Amino acid sequence: MNRQRLATATAILGLLGSLTTSAWAGGPAPGRQDPPAPVTRVPAAPGTATALSGYAIRSTAEVSDPAAAVSSPGYPATGWHRAGPRSTVLAALLADGVYADPFHSTNQQKIPKADFRVPWWYRSDFTVSDTSARTYLDFSGVVSAADVYVDGKRVATTKDVTGAYTHHELDVTSLVRRGTNTVAFRIRPNDPSKDLTMGWIDWLQPPPDENMGIVRDVVVRRGGPVALRDAHVVTKLDVPSLASADLTVRARARNDSGAPVTATVSGGIGATTFSRPVSLAAHETKTVTFTPSDVPGLHLTSPKVWWPAGMGGQPLYDLHLTASVSGTPSDTAHETFGVRDVRAPLNSDGARRYRVNGRALLIKGGGWSPDEFLRWDRRYVEDRLRYALDLGLNTIRLEGHLEPDEFFDLADRYGILTLPGWECCDKWEGQVNGDEPGDRWTAADYPVAKASMAAEAARLRDHPSVVSFLIGSDFAPDATIEKNYLDALKAADWNTPVVAAASDNASPRLGSSGMKMTGPYDWIPPGYWYAKREGGATGFNSETSAGPDIPTLDTLHRMMTPAELDTLWKDPSAKQYHRSPSSTFGTLKLYDDALAGRYGAPTGLSDYVRKAQLAQYENVRAQFEAYGRNATDAAKPSTGVVYWMFNSGWTSLHWQLTDRYLDQGGAYFGARKANEPLHVQYSYDDRSVVVVDNRHTAASGLTVGAALFNPDGSQKYGKTVAGVTVKGDGAHARALTLPSSVSGLATTYLLRLTLTDGSGKEVSRNVYWLSTKPDTLDWAHTDWYYTPTTSYADLKGLASMARVPVSATASTVTSHGTSTTTVTLRNTGSGRTPSLLTDVHLVDAKGRPVLPVRWSDNEVSLWPGESVTLTARCRTADLHGSAPRLRISGWNTPEHTVPAA
């Protein structure tokens, strides 16, 4: 995130990955003592990898026993807290009920930071029945550093185990005994300004423990004398034919014994098998390579090609390897990979343009946030990724916070591209960011950064969803850091583009990033996006949005007290704890002033939220529409846009298309509308009406209708254009241009666009609320986070719209754990007034939203007599035995609830 002129920015402390299996809030009643962490049973079979099942944790301030005792089997860990296999300290304490829900009000401020300024112990027991096999501890994700002990002996120090992303393998064969063994980590406190870990920057209020803990699995590996490591597949797809692909299989065979040995490395991919003997001296490591030249089956004809969602399927291949000694398996390795080609050259304007399998695509993405306490919940992550697809997004950007393996497995399966990279505003860029937060590097930091790059490259390279690594964010690395990163990537056989920075910066070898980070990050009017300057729709904007995204009223009631909610709508200058710790984003004043200036001052909390949803819908829609329209322009085309952000890691008032509870409001449905497959849209800059085809195939025989209405529903203009044709792959076709003035048109007016196919079926409808008085931008005083608005569009006329009844009939069917609700809405008003942005919420018997839910469409506008049928799908279990109901509301539609059983 671009904070280059944010002198008051504090490096918000945080951490890696996202993980713990503990409950997300609440948990046992305060004072309840959990039993010790379970003992992990480790099998002896070669090639097995068993994750420790959990830990007992306690502050070193409360443990006076020596490390040798704490880390020995049989140590009485009484009074210790339970932690999951992936858990920060605070995540474990929350699960144990020590603190109140930190997502509500200012509860998090009440958690004492001093408790986390000393090291904490993590200890876990595991059992083995056979000590003849070799045993290794394999892990990453320690935040920020640790001394490691096994059965009373220190096997690594904080100098060895430091940095959240570094990977470690410790041979503990000589220490492991038959029966119970103990591994213990003494975890050092984290400081993202001083440690190469992870911070929260200005995203949210930082956790008091700064995410200290172990946030990835610690794995106990067993094997024979020869270990297989670093197994992977390098793919080379013939582009553009896609008719063939060459696979190169590589792995390291390592002799961990003190005697020479000959191992046989064998494996297969599908029906293709291969094998080779490898002679290894004592403690020698060799790279074993299989190529199409020696294994013809590794040359694939008609390969199963992996595509991003919407462009094709997501087939995956599996690699299996075994190292045997004298016919006995010694170790195994397994990898899943996809066959695809990614290129991202700079276009003639210097912007980065991604191509997958030879086809160009507009990157439409969102910035990803894990849970604030890095608690991993696979289903919750999967729900959010499904939301991304529902919104028509194709990419997720991870600025730091590089999620665990399962995240990328899911992205592979769903066809969601990912842009991982290092983060700004802390130690990661401390050597190159001038006076920004983050300490300058010492000699000890360079090998840690290089090891981090090597570990993440090896972890991510086989995932077809990963299409780049951004080695810089707000700043590009200097020559030394860049060389270390690139050397690590090359050694890992990284074969997708490496980008110098997410901002418009360059590094010595990679050159220009081809990206821009020009904001905005706070409120600007929807017309802003159409200007080909600053954050407007040209080039690749790696992070941008109009800032605040006020959640639904349901979510607000869950996250704030009545007094806080009162302040929310009454006092624009009030500091909002649930926005950001940054002084720049501490209040909602820019947003609230615009809301009142354009729509009128709020009359209460419900009115404030109602106007916020309308404002967020129009702004998010405009952002994606502008980038979509300009994607195939001959001059200065748009090549990528990442909404900042897709989601928040806690209960937030800004930077989110969906909120912490997965509820959906104006921002969500504005993005969904803009990114629909075949779409008709209005251009704020030149009043053109265009059709954008986000599909691969062209469309012809289309009819575009445009009509202008006053708020009372009286039509003042109408035009229909038939025979419209538009090419696929994001192309657009101009259907018509609205007149600059229309007789009798009110200051505030509505525009209805319709797109019908050759059979007369409506395939896209888009309704805008506009003003004859435009928003006026003060471009000359643009700051890094916004461009001032000197006068606002007048949309106050919307308040005069007559109340319109919308009837609803609904039914629900359940199959295989999924409930599908079908609802037909009808504008039953007797006058001319449409129902504007009618929202339908699936709720339970108590009126609580049923989430997550995926709608075929929502927040629709209906003219008198019109009807529309929508469907909503949810997990039946999320109804909790309740009969489903539907809550209908809208800008000018009275709220009511109907049964949907």
Side-chain angles (χ1 to χ4, degrees):
M1 162 103 197
N2 189 328
R3 302 122 187 125
Q4 297 178 16
R5 281 166 278 179
L6 184 55
T8 58
T10 36
I12 311 299
L13 307 170
L15 195 355
L16 156 63
S18 77
L19 311 102
T20 211
T21 54
S22 304
W24 276 48
R32 192 186 93 172
Q33 182 61 54
D34 280 343
V39 176
T40 304
R41 299 186 182 278
V42 176
T48 58
T50 307
L52 296 179
S53 55
Y55 303 91
I57 72 169
R58 196 166 190 182
S59 168
T60 58
E62 299 174 341
V63 178
S64 58
D65 297 316
V70 173
S71 60
S72 294
Y75 177 78
T78 55
W80 290 44
H81 298 277
R82 275 283 301 277
R86 309 166 175 181
S87 180
T88 66
V89 171
L90 188 50
L93 299 182
L94 290 171
D96 204 21
V98 175
Y99 304 115
D101 178 8
F103 288 116
H104 180 71
S105 186
T106 56
N107 285 347
Q108 187 168 261
Q109 283 185 321
K110 302 171 186 175
I111 300 174
K113 294 181 180 180
D115 291 353
F116 312 108
R117 298 299 181 259
V118 298
W120 277 65
W121 278 112
Y122 277 59
R123 72 180 310 279
S124 186
D125 290 336
F126 65 93
T127 62
V128 299
S129 58
D130 181 3
T131 58
S132 63
R134 302 198 69 81
T135 305
Y136 311 86
L137 286 181
D138 189 309
F139 59 91
S140 63
V142 173
V143 184
S144 66
D147 297 302
V148 185
Y149 297 81
V150 173
D151 291 348
K153 304 292 185 181
R154 188 170 68 179
V155 295
T157 70
T158 54
K159 290 184 179 180
D160 307 311
V161 179
T162 184
Y165 299 102
T166 54
H167 174 251
H168 308 277
E169 184 182 25
L170 306 177
D171 189 338
V172 295
T173 303
S174 63
L175 298 176
V176 171
R177 65 193 73 175
R178 181 177 287 106
T180 301
N181 297 269
T182 299
V183 57
F185 294 80
R186 184 164 55 197
I187 309 288
R188 189 181 71 188
N190 182 42
D191 183 345
S193 287
K194 300 180 182 301
D195 305 312
L196 290 168
T197 54
M198 184 184 306
W200 289 101
I201 316 164
D202 47 10
W203 300 7
L204 47 73
Q205 299 292 347
D209 71 337
E210 297 167 357
N211 293 134
M212 171 173 50
I214 301 175
V215 296
R216 292 182 180 172
D217 287 339
V218 174
V219 174
V220 182
R221 294 189 180 276
R222 308 300 302 282
V226 174
L228 276 178
R229 297 292 184 266
D230 200 36
H232 61 284
V233 180
V234 180
T235 64
K236 185 177 182 181
L237 177 64
D238 186 65
V239 175
S241 76
L242 312 184
S244 65
D246 288 335
L247 310 181
T248 298
V249 177
R250 288 200 179 98
R252 287 185 290 112
R254 187 182 69 209
N255 180 9
D256 285 334
S257 73
V261 67
T262 296
T264 299
V265 177
S266 58
I269 297 173
T272 299
T273 59
F274 35 84
S275 182
R276 177 173 299 138
V278 182
S279 297
L280 297 166
H283 304 296
E284 183 182 15
T285 299
K286 287 183 179 179
T287 297
V288 184
T289 303
F290 300 94
T291 69
S293 62
D294 52 75
V295 182
L298 294 178
H299 175 77
L300 305 182
T301 56
S302 301
K304 296 180 289 184
V305 177
W306 187 96
W307 289 94
M311 297 177 70
Q314 292 79 45
L316 298 170
Y317 289 84
D318 292 303
L319 165 69
H320 303 280
L321 290 177
T322 300
S324 300
V325 177
S326 301
T328 300
S330 178
D331 201 4
T332 61
H334 310 276
E335 284 294 315
T336 299
F337 65 96
V339 174
R340 58 93 178 94
D341 177 85
V342 180
R343 302 178 192 182
L346 303 184
N347 66 14
S348 59
D349 297 309
R352 196 164 294 277
R353 166 71 83 177
Y354 278 83
R355 302 181 69 88
V356 177
N357 303 329
R359 282 166 54 186
L361 76 161
L362 172 67
I363 293 293
K364 293 186 291 186
W368 183 266
S369 174
D371 168 63
E372 179 177 5
F373 308 110
L374 305 184
R375 297 170 293 190
W376 173 256
D377 184 324
R378 178 186 174 91
R379 190 173 78 169
Y380 183 66
V381 169
E382 192 166 10
D383 287 337
R384 283 183 285 167
L385 291 177
R386 285 175 173 171
Y387 268 16
L389 290 181
D390 186 52
L391 290 174
L393 304 183
N394 56 28
T395 304
I396 291 295
R397 181 184 166 211
L398 299 96
E399 183 186 355
H401 303 84
L402 303 183
E403 294 277 36
D405 295 341
E406 295 97 320
F407 175 90
F408 296 97
D409 291 339
L410 289 169
D412 292 345
R413 180 198 303 175
Y414 287 118
I416 300 172
L417 304 179
T418 61
L419 292 173
W422 305 127
E423 66 192 43
C424 83
C425 312
D426 56 22
K427 185 59 175 276
W428 284 102
E429 294 187 347
Q431 189 66 8
V432 295
N433 65 3
D435 59 358
E436 291 288 308
D439 286 6
R440 293 185 64 82
W441 288 19
T442 67
D445 293 314
Y446 290 88
V448 173
K450 184 175 182 179
S452 299
M453 186 73 265
E456 288 306 296
R459 189 173 73 94
L460 299 178
R461 65 192 162 196
D462 277 340
H463 288 283
S465 59
V466 178
V467 293
S468 272
F469 199 96
L470 280 64
I471 59 173
S473 180
D474 289 22
F475 296 88
D478 62 23
T480 302
I481 299 171
E482 180 194 42
K483 182 180 185 304
N484 286 342
Y485 286 155
L486 294 182
D487 287 351
L489 287 158
K490 181 179 179 181
D493 286 330
W494 187 267
N495 68 346
T496 53
V498 181
V499 180
S503 59
D504 184 13
N505 278 300
S507 59
R509 286 170 58 181
L510 292 175
S512 172
S513 69
M515 295 188 174
K516 67 178 183 180
M517 192 183 282
T518 47
Y521 299 96
D522 212 326
W523 192 86
I524 43 82
Y528 170 99
W529 300 107
Y530 285 85
K532 290 192 173 185
R533 57 181 297 178
E534 274 73 40
T538 181
F540 194 123
N541 198 338
S542 68
E543 48 182 63
T544 187
S545 76
D549 285 302
I550 305 300
T552 63
L553 197 56
D554 295 294
T555 292
L556 286 171
H557 281 300
R558 295 178 71 172
M559 62 186 269
M560 301 173 78
T561 66
E564 289 166 344
L565 292 173
D566 213 35
T567 299
L568 177 65
W569 72 270
K570 287 182 177 179
D571 188 356
S573 298
K575 185 171 178 60
Q576 294 293 340
Y577 183 72
H578 284 267
R579 188 170 183 205
S580 172
S582 162
S583 59
T584 301
F585 304 119
T587 76
L588 290 166
K589 183 169 176 51
L590 286 175
Y591 177 86
D592 287 351
D593 286 351
L595 202 66
R598 301 174 89 240
Y599 289 99
T603 59
L605 177 63
S606 295
D607 186 57
Y608 176 79
V609 175
R610 182 176 71 119
K611 289 171 177 171
Q613 302 314 312
L614 214 62
Q616 287 155 200
Y617 186 105
E618 64 164 343
N619 216 314
V620 174
R621 175 179 59 181
Q623 177 176 337
F624 282 107
E625 284 184 337
Y627 274 85
R629 189 199 69 176
N630 292 356
T632 54
D633 283 2
K636 300 183 70 175
S638 56
T639 61
V641 59
V642 177
Y643 188 88
W644 205 251
M645 298 177 65
F646 173 71
N647 70 297
S648 178
W650 82 322
T651 42
S652 179
L653 296 171
H654 77 161
W655 296 345
Q656 56 188 356
L657 293 175
T658 179
D659 67 36
R660 164 67 181 80
Y661 303 108
L662 302 181
D663 208 351
Q664 305 153 327
Y668 186 96
F669 289 112
R672 193 181 190 280
K673 174 57 63 177
N675 294 322
E676 60 188 355
L678 190 59
H679 178 63
V680 62
Q681 65 184 59
Y682 168 75
S683 305
Y684 283 82
D685 58 340
D686 61 8
R687 305 184 311 282
S688 64
V689 174
V690 303
V691 178
V692 178
D693 189 352
N694 292 306
R695 310 165 310 164
H696 183 48
T697 56
S700 60
L702 303 174
T703 300
V704 174
L708 299 176
F709 301 84
N710 282 341
D712 65 1
S714 59
Q715 183 172 337
K716 298 300 178 182
Y717 171 86
K719 186 173 183 178
T720 300
V721 178
V724 176
T725 297
V726 59
K727 296 178 181 179
D729 292 329
H732 72 269
R734 181 186 293 241
L736 61 97
T737 299
L738 295 177
S740 57
S741 63
V742 173
S743 178
L745 197 64
T747 302
T748 303
Y749 62 96
L750 302 177
L751 165 63
R752 182 185 65 195
L753 301 179
T754 57
L755 178 68
T756 55
D757 62 17
S759 67
K761 178 184 177 183
E762 185 175 287
V763 294
S764 178
R765 170 180 289 219
N766 209 350
V767 176
Y768 297 80
W769 38 103
L770 303 168
S771 175
T772 57
K773 177 187 175 185
D775 295 291
T776 304
L777 287 156
D778 182 7
W779 293 105
H781 290 90
T782 296
D783 205 339
W784 67 267
Y785 62 98
Y786 87 119
T787 296
T789 303
T790 56
S791 64
Y792 299 113
D794 185 355
L795 301 173
K796 299 180 182 69
L798 294 179
S800 68
M801 292 181 70
R803 304 280 276 176
V804 174
V806 174
S807 67
T809 56
S811 62
T812 299
V813 296
T814 299
S815 176
H816 300 98
T818 297
S819 290
T820 301
T821 297
T822 302
V823 55
T824 298
L825 304 176
R826 182 179 296 275
N827 180 333
T828 57
S830 58
R832 300 176 299 186
T833 308
S835 63
L836 181 62
L837 231 62
T838 302
D839 176 87
V840 189
H841 255 67
L842 184 68
V843 298
D844 64 16
K846 295 183 179 179
R848 299 171 300 195
V850 177
L851 301 168
V853 61
R854 281 177 290 165
W855 286 93
S856 61
D857 198 2
N858 209 328
E859 299 201 346
V860 295
S861 298
L862 298 172
W863 266 250
E866 288 186 331
S867 64
V868 65
T869 298
L870 313 175
T871 59
R873 288 180 172 83
C874 71
R875 284 187 290 263
T876 303
D878 290 336
L879 288 165
H880 303 295
S882 173
R885 298 172 64 81
L886 294 172
R887 186 176 67 211
I888 318 297
S889 63
W891 174 257
N892 59 325
T893 298
E895 182 178 308
H896 63 290
T897 303
V898 300

